[in-house]
Each structure stands twice: as C-alpha cells, then as structure tokens.
Amino acid sequence: MTQQERTRERPFAEWAEYFEGNLARHERLDRTIPWGSISPLPAGHIAAIARSLQRFELGESGEGRGLRSKAARLGDPYHDTALALFVAEEQKHSALFGRALRRFGVGPLEAHWSDAVFVQLRRLMGLRTEVTLFLVAETVALEYFAALERSADPVLRGVARRVLTDEVEHIRFQVAQLQLGFAGTPAGLRMLAAAAAWVVAVGAATVVAIDHGPALRVGGVTPLAFWGRGLRHFRRAAAEAFGSGARRARPGVGAVAHPEPARDRTTPEAATHHRSAVAGSRHEPEAAAAHPEPSRRAA
C-alpha cells in the first residue's frame, strides 16, 4: 500500500503523528521564554493585558470530555489520539497564560459570561458544529495573539509566538475534521453550514474586538483592524472546510498562515524581529509548561 493510499484510509494518522512530535519540541522551546525578565509595560497596559489574558486562560482550560466523547463514536483511534493531544495543547496554552498572569500578580478567573456561552453551545451541538465553533474561535483569535507578539514585553512575545504556531496547525486540524465530516454532504447543505458559521464568526470577532480592545491597542492594533483581519483568517479556513473541491488539510498544509506584522503600526525593527521569530517557529513551535495547571471545569 502506498503512502497516499494509507493516508486516504487513515486520514488522521498524520495528525496523531504531528501532535505526538510536538511533545518534544514544546519541551525544548518552552525554555526560551524569559520568565524572569521584568515587564517594560506601564501599569495601565499591564492591567489591560491581564484582564484579557484571564478570559483566554479560562477559555482554554477545559478537558474536552464532551468533544472527545462525540468524536469517539467515529471509531477512528488515530482521530481519538490526535484529538486528545490537541486538547492537551490547549490546556498547555491555559497554563502559559496562567503563568503570565502570575508574573503580573494577577489570579485566574473562575467564570466569565463569554466562556459560559461558548461551552453551553458546544455541549448542545453535534461534533461538526462543535468543531466549527472551535474553528471560529481560533481563526478570530489569531490576530489577538499577533498583537501580543508585537508588544514590548518579552514574555508576552514569547508566549504569543508559542501559541500562534500551535493555533495555525490547530485550525488546519479542525479544517481536516470538517472536510471529513462534510464528505458526501450536498452542496446546498454545505452552503447553509458555512452561512451559519459566518454568522457566528462575525459575532465572535465583534465581541473580541470590543471586549479585548484595550489589550489589542497595547499591541498596536485597533479593534476595527483586528475585526477585519480576524474575519479574513476565518474566510480562508472556511473556504477549505466547507468547500467540496478544497485540498485536504494536513499538518503544515493549508490556507491559514502565521499572521504577518501590521504594516500600519509596526516599526521596521519590530517587523524584522517578527519575521525572524516566525521563520524559526514554523520549524519548531514553542511550548508551554510541561505540566499544565489542573482544569477548573470540563468542556
């Protein structure tokens, strides 16, 4: 059997291998984040970032039991393995945000209305809809982390680079799940699913732009610019996820890419730093704490 035939029969074997390979890369690169450095940000900027990170820390701390239970019905052990490792990477992101918050002297949130709404929607829906909600959340959030990567704080830059390199592949993974989930679905139903996803994406981008506006501005991005860029990322991912003729999403292969620095607000020095960081991170995504903090809730 050729590699192409094996890939068709076991479409998530590549993803399981990719996520397993990330474990070692994360441990190596997590050490590059300068946790002992002192933040150069003024108190007002720190407060804005901390309030924002609290919500992201809460959102990525779940155990994904509902998602994994739905996916188990597919009977694909490779998909089960990849999904479990994907959830573990999200928990590592939560641990990173928690550590950044402690550096600022701020504790985590126990609850937030936006996270509660997102979790309830996921629990009420089927697997394809739940994966679609993840796709919306992560494509919209790409520009948020790109803004953090342009901040003056070296820890925030390191955390953002680490998360961004993971999230780009997470989006491709979700596209791959939706491509398989909609295989054989008539074009009209695909269009309806895509339209519904667009409604959710516009709402999510609007909420983040308003709710996290002060933190976005710390990274030199206006809420309006964030809104437009976030929806462009979603448009590219949705075209592959819901399009019948799109190429199959694989690790490292897909329309979504690491966000580039904002040309309007980024200095030449910052842009040079960003390009060199991205060039290295595409080969070795950075990592989070080896042992994430325990989740406070189950997704």
Side-chain angles (χ1 to χ4, degrees), residues 184-228:
T185 301
L189 292 179
R190 285 174 178 264
M191 291 176 63
L192 284 175
W198 263 106
V199 171
V200 176
V202 171
T206 302
V207 168
V208 175
I210 295 172
D211 210 26
H212 298 265
L216 291 168
R217 290 189 178 92
V218 172
V221 178
T222 66
L224 183 60
F226 161 83
W227 188 86

Side-chain angles (χ1 to χ4, degrees), residues 131-187:
V131 173
T132 299
L133 290 175
F134 271 108
L135 181 69
V136 167
E138 297 199 324
T139 50
V140 168
L142 281 182
E143 282 298 328
Y144 171 84
F145 294 116
L148 289 190
E149 191 179 12
R150 290 188 290 269
S151 77
D153 189 301
V155 168
L156 291 179
R157 289 200 304 268
V159 168
R161 282 197 302 272
R162 156 74 172 86
V163 172
L164 272 171
T165 52
D166 273 357
E167 296 290 25
V168 167
E169 296 302 331
H170 288 182
I171 290 169
R172 290 172 180 154
F173 176 54
Q174 288 145 15
V175 168
Q177 293 179 88
L178 290 173
Q179 286 175 332
L180 184 64
F182 282 101
T185 301

Side-chain angles (χ1 to χ4, degrees), residues 88 91-92 95 289-295:
Q91 291 179 316
K92 288 180 180 180
H291 301 287
E293 296 172 347
S295 299

Side-chain angles (χ1 to χ4, degrees), residues 2-263:
T2 66
Q3 177 64 35
Q4 186 175 14
E5 290 170 335
R6 284 194 297 271
T7 299
R8 280 199 301 267
E9 288 192 1
R10 302 179 301 183
F12 289 101
E14 276 185 303
W15 284 105
E17 182 180 355
Y18 162 76
F19 284 118
E20 287 169 350
N22 268 354
L23 299 175
R25 288 193 291 270
H26 286 172
E27 289 180 2
R28 287 200 307 271
L29 293 172
D30 204 27
R31 293 191 292 269
T32 66
I33 299 176
W35 291 108
S37 63
I38 298 174
S39 178
L41 297 177
H45 286 184
I46 289 176
I49 291 290
R51 284 194 299 269
S52 183
L53 278 181
Q54 282 178 314
R55 297 162 201 174
F56 275 91
E57 188 274 337
L58 179 64
E60 303 211 20
S61 65
E63 297 176 352
R65 286 199 292 265
L67 176 65
R68 293 170 62 185
S69 175
K70 295 171 188 175
R73 299 167 194 163
L74 299 176
D76 183 344
Y78 293 103
H79 184 257
D80 293 344
T81 297
L83 194 60
L85 292 170
F86 156 75
V87 170
E89 288 195 356
E90 293 290 301
Q91 291 179 316
K92 288 180 180 180
H93 296 174
S94 177
L96 270 179
F97 302 149
R99 189 170 179 182
L101 286 170
R102 290 195 298 275
R103 176 172 172 264
F104 291 143
V106 178
L109 288 178
E110 291 299 323
H112 190 265
W113 70 266
S114 59
D115 180 67
V117 170
F118 184 67
V119 170
Q120 288 304 316
L121 282 174
R122 284 166 41 203
R123 287 176 175 170
L124 292 172
M125 304 299 182
L127 179 61
R128 289 188 303 187
T129 304
E130 185 162 358
V131 173
T132 299
L133 290 175
F134 271 108
L135 181 69
V136 167
E138 297 199 324
T139 50
V140 168
L142 281 182
E143 282 298 328
Y144 171 84
F145 294 116
L148 289 190
E149 191 179 12
R150 290 188 290 269
S151 77
D153 189 301
V155 168
L156 291 179
R157 289 200 304 268
V159 168
R161 282 197 302 272
R162 156 74 172 86
V163 172
L164 272 171
T165 52
D166 273 357
E167 296 290 25
V168 167
E169 296 302 331
H170 288 182
I171 290 169
R172 290 172 180 154
F173 176 54
Q174 288 145 15
V175 168
Q177 293 179 88
L178 290 173
Q179 286 175 332
L180 184 64
F182 282 101
T185 301
L189 292 179
R190 285 174 178 264
M191 291 176 63
L192 284 175
W198 263 106
V199 171
V200 176
V202 171
T206 302
V207 168
V208 175
I210 295 172
D211 210 26
H212 298 265
L216 291 168
R217 290 189 178 92
V218 172
V221 178
T222 66
L224 183 60
F226 161 83
W227 188 86
R229 292 170 191 159
L231 289 179
R232 281 198 294 272
H233 290 308
F234 175 74
R235 174 176 54 81
R236 287 192 288 268
E240 290 195 353
F242 300 103
S244 58
R247 61 181 174 176
R248 186 176 61 82
R250 301 168 55 193
V253 178
V256 177
H258 193 299
E260 292 298 325
R263 295 183 179 88

Side-chain angles (χ1 to χ4, degrees), residues 247-283:
R247 61 181 174 176
R248 186 176 61 82
R250 301 168 55 193
V253 178
V256 177
H258 193 299
E260 292 298 325
R263 295 183 179 88
D264 53 340
R265 300 293 296 274
T266 305
T267 64
E269 293 79 11
T272 300
H273 160 79
H274 179 93
R275 285 193 295 269
S276 62
V278 171
S281 64
R282 279 175 180 154
H283 295 288

